[in-house]
Amino acid sequence: MIKKFFKRHLFFKGLGVVVVVWYLFFSLPKPLFSAPTSTVLFDENHQLLAAKLAADEQWRFSAIDSVPKKFESCVLQFEDAYFKYHPGFNPIAILKALVTNFRKRKIVRGGSTITMQTLRLARAKKSRTLYQKFVELILATRLELRYSKEEILQLYASHTPYGGNIVGLNAAAWRYFGRSPHQLSWGESALLAVLPNAPSLMHPGKNRRQLQEKRNRLLDKLLQQKIIDSSTCFLAKQEQIPNKPKKLPSQTQHLLQYAIKKGYKGQQLVTSIQKNKQQQTVDILQRHYKRLISNHVYNAACLVVDIDTGKVITYVGNTQQGNAGYGKDVDIIQSPRSTGSILKPFLYAAALQEGSILPNMLLPDVPTYIAGYSPKNFSKSYDGAVPANQALSRSLNVPAVRMLRDYSYERFHNLLRKLNITSISKPADHYGLSLILGGAEASLWELTNTYAQLARTLKVEEVQTQTTKMPSIGFLKSEETTYNGEVPLSKPAVYLMLDAMLGVQRPEQEDGWQYFDRSQQIAWKTGTSFGNRDAWSIGVGAKYVVGVWVGNADGEGRSELTGTKSAAPIMFDVFRQFDTRTWFLAPDGLFDIETCSISGYKAGQFCEETTSVLAPKNGLIAPSCPFHKRVHLSLDGLYQLNSSCAEPFEMLHKSWFVLPPTMEWYYKKKYNNYEELPPFKIDCQQQDATVMEVVYPKNFSKLFIPKELNGQLGKIIFKIAHRQEHSLLYWHIDNEFVGQTSRFHQLALQPKPGKHQLTLIDQNGNRLEKFFEILE
């Protein structure tokens, strides 16, 4: 019986111990504080960039990870000198408070410890009665069991009020002094230590003397306790009391919006932004803003990326001047806009990689009609033929569209998706050939990211096309930059792409740049969207990529808004912050290829002058020169001959550079050194259809006759190019003579609906036939 009693007694005793332990350890809420916090951005050196109020309209930063030693000394001496020794409450302090308050017949002294005050902050909605005071005392012992003294002090400092809507030491340090808590002086630390005791004192022009006296008394106590010396105490007392909270920095408001959108709301983030570079970039945009608004252009954005790290170092999402009506709050960096010509370098690199072009290969630059689509160069003129790298550096539209047609817009669309330009989300057929001229939209973030990714491949030891994962840009200092797709362009192709972009003609204020010792090595590309709505300029140096967009957030176009005039000057000003004298080393995988010096094609059997150029491996299978051919001339070189009018010994055999008629017609107007083929001797029998070519319409075209403003049917302009400028050309439709032309071979015609045959015969009997159809 006795044994059973003792067993039961021990059981209940053990159960009681378990209940008490559970009660002590687990009755506190976890987390202790659940109030929302502000979203805060710091630069790479922990300097404040921007912050947003918490959801409850309080400036409450995330909890500090450590309490500064100066503040710790100040707050312990002011609030709780025995904090490190008591179990959560101080019986002596409580007794003294009771005696003092009883004598004064009012509450003039509190007996709460920092631990108890922390609990009161956590239980802010509880009434302040003696019973709740007793509850706080009990809970304080539990708090001491769960948290270390350092952690409790951190909780107190992070959640105590500092006047107005400022909560926590971190927010107070930045709002009142513009610096982090660890950078506060003794005077500043003492001020923030006494302020929570009476936060209403911190108001402009009110109770300044009382607040200063409280601070100074604390400084005297620190001196008395030999925590500071007399000189430190004297100097600390000379520090001025702040008049009012400072306005927080707002250098990266658009990045702050982006961080919140990415799911970082309420967090305190250390970014990769360099504050000084950020401010310099903001200043540059503000200077140019004064120039832009004269053309009624109100928005601009700039993004700078470190190629080596893949990290964003400046993020200016929009101009900071002007009113909200002009869309200055819109984050342009993340907004998809029409790309203009900014995608052309990627197509150039892709064509080089597959070996369909070589850097100096001549591309047609002539009037072009493809399934009703007729691209035009920005200058509204044509060169006839232009080297591929110059077509890129001059941003010619016609060669780019023809190159895209040959490469396939479906393949190029797929390439852009591999480059993580996800804004181009519609099927390839939606864009068609306009994809290369701004028919699609992309953001400055995506485009700058792509150029940075490709440039970074030149700095990576091992890159295998289609397999290696490459970094993607990020804005957090601790973020690992990982590439989310394949590497679709090889290092040799990227290197040659950037090399071509080095030759872009710079804005007027940059003329003569190559003659300066500190000349900038910058590969860059501009873009201007249809209707002059978007102006782009993206530059690549050996260390940094700078992307700039200029325009109006509402999409309004302006006549003078172009990439070269509006965006490029900003880009070059931003680049002046950096050393850009170095350049990428040529990568492995480049091959010397013997090319025709004139045509840029791989040298053929009739190319007499050759030049060695660097190209990717597939350049070895590039086409040979189609323009040089062997011609037979009279001994004086004035006429072409053939076997019908001369013996072989009467002929001079020579290699001749001969372009197709349409290319030749425009090319010879641009280049005076182009030598036309001599005419055939009169008594030579010859028929050469290649002496002329139809510019418009192309063979088997289907055409609509346009209507004039008066509602009447108009006419179609037929265009022909002929090698002999002054030749006479006879026009026939369905074997019926319709007219003749000389020199300028254009004829306005109005054929009837149906299928037709166009026949052209020149004065030498050369004949050309093409077919077309008129639709009703």
Side-chain angles (χ1 to χ4, degrees):
M1 193 75 175
I2 298 175
K3 288 183 178 180
K4 288 183 178 180
F5 172 80
F6 277 108
K7 285 183 178 179
R8 288 178 181 176
H9 180 71
L10 289 172
F11 170 79
F12 286 111
K13 196 171 183 179
L15 181 62
V17 171
V18 171
V19 170
V20 169
V21 171
W22 180 88
Y23 186 72
L24 290 174
F25 277 90
F26 299 101
S27 60
L28 289 171
K30 190 175 182 180
L32 197 61
F33 293 92
S34 58
T37 55
S38 302
T39 308
V40 186
L41 298 185
F42 292 95
D43 81 340
E44 63 175 4
N45 296 316
H46 296 266
Q47 293 297 304
L48 185 63
L49 293 171
K52 183 179 177 61
L53 283 166
D56 59 356
E57 300 297 314
Q58 301 294 304
W59 288 112
R60 184 188 296 106
F61 290 10
S62 299
I64 56 177
D65 54 6
S66 64
V67 178
K69 291 299 181 183
K70 290 179 183 177
F71 179 79
E72 179 180 337
S73 299
C74 290
V75 75
L76 292 185
Q77 289 300 316
F78 183 76
E79 292 283 1
D80 191 354
Y82 296 96
F83 170 73
K84 294 187 177 181
Y85 309 104
H86 60 63
F89 66 94
N90 188 337
I92 298 175
I94 293 175
L95 183 60
K96 287 182 178 179
L98 288 173
V99 171
T100 302
N101 294 337
F102 178 77
R103 288 176 178 174
K104 298 289 185 180
R105 304 297 184 187
K106 62 179 180 180
I107 299 176
V108 295
R109 179 173 180 173
S112 296
T113 63
I114 286 178
T115 308
M116 295 172 67
Q117 291 183 53
T118 302
L119 280 165
R120 186 169 67 245
L121 293 171
R123 304 170 72 246
K125 295 182 180 180
K126 301 294 183 180
S127 59
R128 301 187 65 178
T129 62
L130 287 175
Y131 170 73
Q132 290 299 333
K133 200 79 170 175
F134 175 74
V135 172
E136 285 177 7
L137 187 148
I138 299 300
L139 291 177
T141 60
R142 301 173 192 161
L143 190 65
E144 292 277 349
L145 288 172
R146 177 178 289 181
Y147 297 96
S148 68
K149 290 290 187 180
E150 291 77 10
E151 291 172 332
I152 293 173
L153 191 57
Q154 289 173 25
L155 288 170
Y156 170 79
S158 298
H159 296 91
T160 193
Y162 284 91
N165 66 342
I166 303 172
V167 179
L169 176 63
N170 210 346
W174 285 106
R175 289 303 314 270
Y176 291 126
F177 303 110
R179 60 179 66 94
S180 73
H182 290 276
Q183 296 174 315
L184 296 178
S185 66
W186 279 106
E188 293 164 344
S189 298
L191 179 67
L192 292 185
V194 303
L195 187 58
N197 185 254
S200 60
L201 293 180
M202 183 58 83
H203 286 282
K206 180 182 177 182
N207 301 322
R208 320 301 298 160
R209 180 175 296 179
Q210 294 95 314
L211 183 61
Q212 187 174 16
E213 289 173 353
K214 289 185 69 172
R215 182 200 66 179
N216 290 347
R217 284 197 296 271
L218 174 57
L219 290 169
D220 288 337
K221 188 175 181 181
L222 293 172
L223 175 62
Q224 182 182 356
Q225 296 295 324
K226 298 183 179 180
I227 296 174
I228 59 176
D229 56 31
S230 57
S231 60
T232 302
C233 181
F234 174 79
L235 292 173
K237 288 181 178 180
Q238 307 309 306
E239 295 180 17
Q240 296 295 316
I241 303 295
N243 290 324
K244 59 181 179 179
K246 296 178 180 291
K247 186 177 180 180
L248 292 179
S250 58
Q251 291 178 312
T252 57
Q253 283 298 323
H254 297 98
L255 180 58
L256 182 66
Q257 296 173 16
Y258 179 61
I260 294 172
K261 184 178 178 181
K262 294 288 287 183
Y264 295 107
K265 183 177 181 180
Q267 297 187 39
Q268 191 165 290
L269 305 173
V270 178
T271 71
S272 55
I273 299 295
Q274 296 178 9
K275 188 173 183 178
N276 62 329
K277 299 297 184 187
Q278 175 77 14
Q279 186 59 55
Q280 289 173 23
T281 304
V282 169
D283 293 342
I284 289 170
L285 260 68
Q286 289 177 342
R287 288 201 306 270
H288 283 272
Y289 181 78
K290 298 175 182 178
R291 171 179 60 87
L292 294 171
I293 59 174
S294 64
N295 189 34
H296 301 285
V297 176
Y298 300 101
N299 305 102
C302 180
L303 184 67
V304 181
V305 177
D306 185 313
I307 294 174
D308 291 328
T309 64
K311 298 295 180 66
V312 174
I313 63 173
T314 73
Y315 188 112
V316 184
N318 208 326
T319 49
Q320 298 186 0
Q321 295 173 313
N323 57 52
Y326 292 127
K328 71 182 183 68
D329 295 327
V330 176
D331 184 1
I332 296 295
I333 288 177
Q334 302 299 333
S335 303
R337 309 289 301 200
S338 174
T339 56
S341 298
I342 207 72
L343 302 177
K344 288 177 182 176
F346 308 144
L347 177 60
Y348 174 81
L352 282 173
Q353 181 169 289
E354 74 168 6
S356 59
I357 66 168
L358 295 172
N360 298 324
M361 181 183 290
L362 287 180
L363 303 178
D365 182 26
V366 296
T368 300
Y369 305 88
I370 305 172
Y373 179 54
S374 180
K376 301 289 190 297
N377 291 325
F378 186 79
S379 64
K380 302 296 189 295
S381 62
Y382 304 94
D383 281 15
V386 61
N389 52 8
Q390 290 186 28
L392 175 61
S393 65
R394 293 171 55 194
S395 197
L396 297 178
N397 293 336
V398 172
V401 170
R402 296 175 72 103
M403 188 188 300
L404 180 59
R405 178 195 60 186
D406 296 340
Y407 184 79
S408 162
Y409 65 78
E410 293 89 352
R411 291 176 61 200
F412 187 59
H413 178 271
N414 186 46
L415 169 68
L416 296 176
R417 298 303 301 273
K418 289 181 179 180
L419 289 170
N420 288 335
I421 305 179
T422 57
S423 295
I424 302 178
S425 56
K426 294 180 173 60
D429 287 338
H430 174 82
Y431 307 105
L433 294 175
S434 70
L435 183 60
I436 200 65
L437 299 183
E441 293 184 337
S443 68
L444 184 60
W445 177 272
E446 291 173 317
L447 294 172
T448 308
N449 173 34
T450 300
Y451 279 98
Q453 287 175 7
L454 295 178
R456 196 169 182 186
T457 65
L458 299 178
K459 294 193 168 189
V460 178
E461 290 296 329
E462 295 295 333
V463 176
Q464 295 180 353
T465 305
Q466 306 295 334
T467 58
T468 302
K469 301 292 183 181
M470 288 303 298
S472 175
I473 62 174
F475 66 93
L476 298 179
K477 185 175 182 179
S478 60
E479 182 180 13
E480 183 179 351
T481 53
T482 56
Y483 183 84
N484 297 319
E486 299 173 335
V487 183
L489 295 175
S490 65
K491 293 169 73 171
V494 172
Y495 179 81
L496 293 174
M497 175 192 82
L498 296 177
D499 185 66
M501 292 166 62
L502 278 173
V504 177
Q505 183 179 354
R506 302 191 176 210
E508 293 178 0
Q509 57 265 48
E510 288 290 320
D511 283 353
W513 65 275
Q514 65 272 29
Y515 300 113
F516 291 93
D517 291 337
R518 290 182 55 82
S519 61
Q520 294 177 304
Q521 288 281 76
I522 301 169
W524 64 293
K525 183 73 186 73
T526 61
T528 305
S529 67
F530 179 77
N532 299 83
R533 294 181 175 91
D534 306 274
W536 301 85
S537 184
I538 298 181
V540 181
K543 297 180 179 178
Y544 302 99
V545 175
V546 176
V548 174
W549 176 93
V550 175
N552 287 312
D554 62 3
E556 180 185 359
R558 302 301 302 175
S559 59
E560 295 298 315
L561 181 65
T562 66
T564 302
K565 292 182 179 180
S566 304
I570 297 175
M571 183 199 72
F572 281 111
D573 278 354
V574 173
F575 259 120
R576 287 192 181 95
Q577 301 177 71
F578 309 106
D579 183 357
T580 58
R581 290 173 294 177
T582 60
W583 192 239
F584 300 98
L585 296 176
D588 295 334
L590 287 169
F591 292 80
D592 282 314
I593 298 178
E594 204 70 18
T595 64
C596 174
S597 297
I598 300 177
S599 72
Y601 280 75
K602 196 166 65 170
Q605 60 176 326
F606 299 124
C607 294
E608 296 179 342
E609 296 182 9
T610 61
T611 303
S612 180
V613 300
L614 292 175
K617 184 177 181 179
N618 283 341
L620 296 170
I621 60 172
S624 297
C625 178
F627 302 134
H628 277 91
K629 64 179 184 179
R630 182 63 58 90
V631 296
H632 312 291
L633 306 176
S634 60
L635 296 179
D636 57 10
L638 297 177
Y639 299 99
Q640 289 189 70
L641 304 175
N642 57 34
S643 58
S644 68
C645 59
E647 297 295 331
F649 64 87
E650 298 177 301
M651 300 179 184
L652 176 65
H653 308 290
K654 190 174 182 180
S655 174
W656 205 283
F657 176 64
V658 184
L659 291 172
T662 305
M663 292 172 64
E664 179 185 82
W665 195 82
Y666 289 96
Y667 188 84
K668 65 187 179 184
K669 295 179 179 298
K670 182 82 174 180
Y671 301 98
N672 295 327
N673 59 347
Y674 180 78
E675 295 185 37
E676 296 181 56
L677 273 173
F680 274 90
K681 197 172 181 180
I682 296 178
D683 56 346
C684 284
Q685 298 177 6
Q686 58 87 26
Q687 289 216 347
D688 185 6
T690 63
V691 299
M692 53 183 161
E693 187 174 37
V694 176
V695 178
Y696 184 80
K698 294 300 183 183
N699 203 21
F700 298 111
S701 292
K702 295 182 178 181
L703 312 172
F704 285 99
I705 295 181
K707 283 190 176 182
E708 305 292 350
L709 293 177
N710 59 11
Q712 299 295 317
L713 288 177
K715 294 183 178 182
I716 298 175
I717 305 298
F718 287 70
K719 300 179 182 180
I720 309 299
H722 198 289
R723 291 194 189 282
Q724 307 301 325
E725 188 172 349
H726 298 284
S727 61
L728 190 61
L729 194 59
Y730 301 93
W731 299 63
H732 303 78
I733 291 184
D734 300 329
N735 295 320
E736 181 178 340
F737 178 75
V738 293
Q740 67 181 43
T741 56
S742 177
R743 189 165 185 171
F744 297 105
H745 300 298
Q746 298 184 9
L747 201 61
L749 300 172
Q750 193 186 80
K752 295 179 181 180
K755 296 181 178 180
H756 300 280
Q757 177 181 336
L758 173 66
T759 304
L760 303 161
I761 303 174
D762 70 5
Q763 63 207 33
N764 296 318
N766 295 309
R767 183 186 184 96
L768 182 64
E769 294 180 352
K770 297 292 179 181
F771 298 89
F772 64 94
E773 181 179 357
I774 301 295
L775 302 177
E776 295 191 46

